[in-house]
Each structure stands twice: as structure tokens, then as C-alpha cells.
Amino acid sequence: MAETKIYLDHNATTPLHPEVKKAMCKAMDEFGNPSSMHSFGREAKKYVEDSRSEIASFIGADTDEIIFVGSGSEANNTVLSIFSCPSKGCMFHSEMKRVVITTAIEHPCIIESSKCLRDRGFDVKYLGVDSFGKVNIKQLETMLDENVGLVSVMMANNEIGTLQDIALITDMAHKNGALMHTDAVQAVGKIPVDVKKLNVDFLTISGHKIYGPKGIGVLFVRKGTPFCPFVRGGHQEMGRRAGTENTLGIIGLGKAVKMRKKEMEEEEKRLKGFKDILKRGIEKSISDAHFNGHPEDCLAGTLNVSFKGAEGEAILLYLDLAGIAVSTGSACASGSLDPSHVLLATGIGPELAHGSIRISMGRSTDKKDVEYVLDILPGIIKKIRKMSSVYSRGGNNVSK
């Protein structure tokens, strides 16, 4: 095994920020239940509310618009599930609209939840995207009418990094009386996000994507927006998410957000520079490489590239042997042998989609890491292509 260890899979998860680890270790003895009235409970409650204030100010929200949940997936499931709640006591019951619009490139937790909605009799419509992964705005115009209850569009794609114009899409949704949700798991902490400017009704955040702990997320719910709990049976989070609060996770997330305030802007510039070096280096040293995602409106640290005549999983494994960790797409879809639904939606063929890798850089990435990838990757692609009977015959059967 290689002695070199380079982690370039930050869109899957990030290492704990040292300051987050320090804050969580310091708080390890704070075992009180934040709902308890005694001093132990009050101390834990103060930690929870301090973190809530930190997160709210980071995205321009009020503190009572922040709900702590177990993950980004839970937050997304909460938003989609409230539209199918059959309870007569539900705030949505009397005004339920049975059409939901989302996109073909969402995270699996949105795709699978929307399939459940279909099974419950809802009409779910999927927006297409262009070759860069940008939502088809004209198609959205034709889909929107008074029957649409919710539009859900992710802010930054987890596989290709393409950013959507959420403010524009929200405006279109609201003009037609629909609520707007954005899965901002890959965006918050990487680009500036202000819920007041975006005017969204729901927004999802995950702790472990921004150097915080796993098992903690946030659902922003705009004040006055109808809401129905996904997890019931407790008064926590003002009755909107039952279950004893994950105090340590909340403390870690609050600290992670505090550090993002300090480091995000510089990091975005640095990663953009590394991405440019990587892209130019690959273009120069490897033929038949196809870059996925928008060239400008894209996360600074995300580079998705397909290689004709090379399987993504083989590239990943050879890179891993050389000490470089990348992915072939979403970590939540890693058990599937199917080509990426995101890449297929952008119009590339299944063979090329199978030949893609995602390089996602983060705060620990430095120039030496990028140079090492450029030293190693061309040889790996050459080796894999030599074993490919299709590519060795000229790659004519490999569709783009």
C-alpha cells in the first residue's frame, strides 16, 4: 500500500475540523437533557441555543426558523413527507395540493421519497437539465400551475457541483402558489447562502459536509410556513422534531459553522485555483477526457471527469492503491451498479457515465496533492485503456 494518503472525497464527508473536535471533547461531560429544568439540563440547553444562534446568523435566518434533525436526508424526507400526511390535524391537510416538482439530478433521498409520494397518489414531475446540469427553466414554466404544492431543487449538485439559480426558481414557484425547498447540503459552508435573499420556505443543511460531526443536520423552515413533524412524540424543537436533542452533535455543528464564517471565503478561492490546475493538467496529459458540470456556476472544489474506455470503479481502485481517495459519484448511491442518474440526465451515454470520477477537494487540500494526482492519473488511465478491447479498437463504440 502507498504511504501517501490524500483525501479528495469531501463531497461524501469531511474530516472533523480540529476546533470542532476540541469543542466536542470539551463538552463531552455535558450529559444533561436540554429539556430538563434543573441546572444540568439548563447548561445543555444553553449549548443547543448558542449553536442555533450561530447557524441562524450564518444563513440569515431567525433562531426559531432552525430545526435540528438527524441528517440532511431526514430534513429532505421531512419536507416531502408533510405533503402526504393523512392526519386531519395536520396543517397541510385542508390545503394539500397533489403535484410536486423536483429534478432528475437530486440526491437519492429526494428521488426515493418522491417515488413514495407517487405510490401515495401524488403527481411527481421531474425537471430536466442541460448538458451542464442546469435546470430547464422553460420546462419549469410549463409545469407550474395552481395545483403544484412544492418545488424542490438542490442548490449545488453533489456529483458535478453545478449551482442552480434558487432565487429565480423560488420566485417562479411562489408566483404560482407553491412552496419552495432547496437541498443545500453541498452549498452551505462552501458558498454564501442567505435564506432571506433566496426567499425559500425550506432549506436543508448537513453537519458532516462542513467539517462537523455526522448524525446532525438542520432544516430551515420559514416563519409562517405550514409544517408537519416527520418524527412525532415529543415537544423538542418546539414540537417540530421529537427526540432528545443530540447535544454533542449540535455543539459540533455550531462550531463548524463558526469556523466556516472565518475560512470559507479564502478556501473557495484556493480550491478554485487547484481545480483549474487539475483541469488543465488532465486536458494536457489525458486524451478523450470529458468534464461534467458547469464550467463557471460550480462548486470550487468539485471536479467530475469521465474518461472514454476506462471504468470509474477501476480508476478509483487504482488511485486508492496509490493513496488517493476519490469517488465515482454520490456516496449514497455507491452500492448501485447503475450509471450515475445525474450524468445520464446531462445527456452523456452510459459508457461514458460509467467512466467518471469525482474529485472533491477541501480545507486540507494543498498544491502538492493536486500535483501528485496529475503525476499518477495519466498512467492509471493508460493502463486501464490497454485492457479495454473497445478502446484499443479506437473507442468507436463508446458513446459520448
Side-chain angles (χ1 to χ4, degrees):
M1 294 291 288
E3 291 183 3
T4 303
K5 284 279 188 181
I6 297 175
Y7 185 74
L8 297 174
D9 198 14
H10 290 81
N11 285 12
T13 193
T14 53
L16 277 183
H17 193 295
E19 292 298 321
V20 172
K21 186 176 179 181
K22 198 185 298 180
M24 291 179 70
C25 287
K26 188 180 172 187
M28 199 66 80
D29 292 329
E30 296 293 339
F31 65 90
N33 187 324
S35 297
S36 299
M37 294 178 69
H38 48 61
S39 61
F40 294 93
R42 292 198 304 274
E43 285 173 21
K45 182 76 171 176
K46 185 178 183 313
Y47 277 112
V48 169
E49 295 311 315
D50 285 349
S51 288
R52 197 188 307 277
S53 296
E54 195 76 62
I55 295 160
S57 71
F58 189 54
I59 61 170
D62 294 334
T63 53
D64 57 358
E65 294 176 318
I66 300 295
I67 303 174
F68 289 113
V69 294
S71 65
S73 292
E74 183 189 321
N76 288 342
N77 270 271
T78 299
V79 175
L80 267 70
S81 72
I82 57 181
F83 280 83
S84 61
C85 179
S87 171
K88 290 181 180 177
C90 175
M91 295 172 75
F92 268 91
H93 187 77
S94 59
E95 54 184 84
M96 191 183 296
K97 298 178 180 180
R98 303 191 72 81
V99 179
V100 170
I101 298 174
T102 186
T103 81
I105 62 168
E106 297 296 308
H107 185 276
C109 71
I110 291 284
I111 298 288
E112 293 304 317
S113 298
S114 64
K115 287 178 184 173
C116 285
L117 283 179
R118 269 193 169 168
D119 291 342
R120 294 171 190 167
F122 279 74
D123 183 6
V124 180
K125 298 179 177 178
Y126 296 94
L127 281 165
V129 296
D130 65 17
S131 60
F132 298 124
K134 283 277 192 182
V135 162
N136 186 332
I137 296 297
K138 288 186 177 176
Q139 186 186 19
L140 177 60
E141 283 176 352
T142 65
M143 287 180 173
L144 282 168
D145 60 31
E146 69 279 4
N147 297 313
V148 178
L150 176 74
V151 177
S152 180
V153 176
M154 71 193 325
M155 191 176 295
N157 187 265
N158 51 319
E159 293 191 31
I160 58 177
T162 296
L163 301 170
Q164 306 295 342
D165 189 344
I166 297 300
L168 171 65
I169 295 169
T170 302
D171 186 53
M172 294 171 69
H174 285 173
K175 281 178 179 172
N176 285 273
L179 295 172
M180 178 69 195
H181 166 246
T182 185
D183 175 357
V185 160
Q186 295 290 347
V188 171
K190 296 177 182 176
I191 59 170
V193 172
D194 187 319
V195 292
K196 286 190 171 62
K197 290 179 181 173
L198 295 173
N199 203 26
V200 292
D201 302 294
F202 305 101
L203 180 142
T204 297
I205 300 172
S206 176
H208 73 105
K209 306 293 188 183
I210 54 172
Y211 312 102
K214 296 171 180 63
I216 186 70
V218 163
L219 177 60
F220 160 81
V221 182
R222 179 172 298 287
K223 211 172 289 181
T225 302
F227 187 77
C228 181
F230 185 54
V231 182
R232 299 170 184 272
H235 61 274
Q236 293 87 356
E237 298 301 294
M238 291 166 279
R240 297 176 295 182
R241 200 273 189 179
T244 303
E245 293 88 342
N246 174 4
T247 309
L248 264 184
I250 292 170
I251 291 169
L253 177 53
K255 190 67 175 182
V257 164
K258 189 170 187 175
M259 299 314 296
R260 286 288 81 198
K261 283 181 183 174
K262 295 180 180 176
E263 299 175 354
M264 182 178 75
E265 187 175 347
E266 182 279 332
E267 183 180 297
E268 187 182 13
K269 289 178 187 170
R270 187 168 52 84
L271 296 184
K272 176 72 170 56
F274 292 161
K275 183 175 170 179
D276 290 342
I277 294 171
L278 260 179
K279 194 173 177 183
R280 285 198 303 271
I282 291 172
E283 284 173 331
K284 186 177 175 184
S285 58
I286 305 174
S287 61
D288 292 334
H290 174 84
F291 294 98
N292 304 302
H294 198 281
E296 300 297 332
D297 290 341
C298 192
L299 292 173
T302 302
L303 183 68
N304 190 308
V305 55
S306 300
F307 301 97
K308 283 186 180 179
E311 282 283 334
E313 287 191 2
I315 304 169
L316 182 154
L317 292 173
Y318 275 118
L319 284 172
D320 192 43
L321 286 173
I324 302 167
V326 301
S327 76
T328 54
S330 166
C332 292
S334 60
S336 171
L337 294 176
D338 296 331
S340 158
H341 69 286
V342 174
L343 297 181
L344 293 181
T346 65
I348 71 171
E351 295 92 346
L352 201 52
H354 268 304
S356 70
I357 58 168
R358 178 187 68 185
I359 299 170
S360 51
M361 299 172 282
R363 61 183 299 274
S364 62
T365 307
D366 62 27
K367 195 174 178 183
K368 285 182 180 174
D369 297 339
V370 174
E371 290 170 346
Y372 183 63
V373 171
L374 290 174
D375 281 344
I376 296 295
L377 186 59
I380 288 174
I381 301 299
K382 188 176 179 182
K383 186 187 296 182
I384 295 172
R385 282 174 172 171
K386 271 189 178 177
M387 294 185 280
S388 166
S389 57
V390 174
Y391 192 80
S392 62
R393 289 199 305 268
N396 294 330
N397 293 327
V398 181
S399 60
K400 182 173 180 178

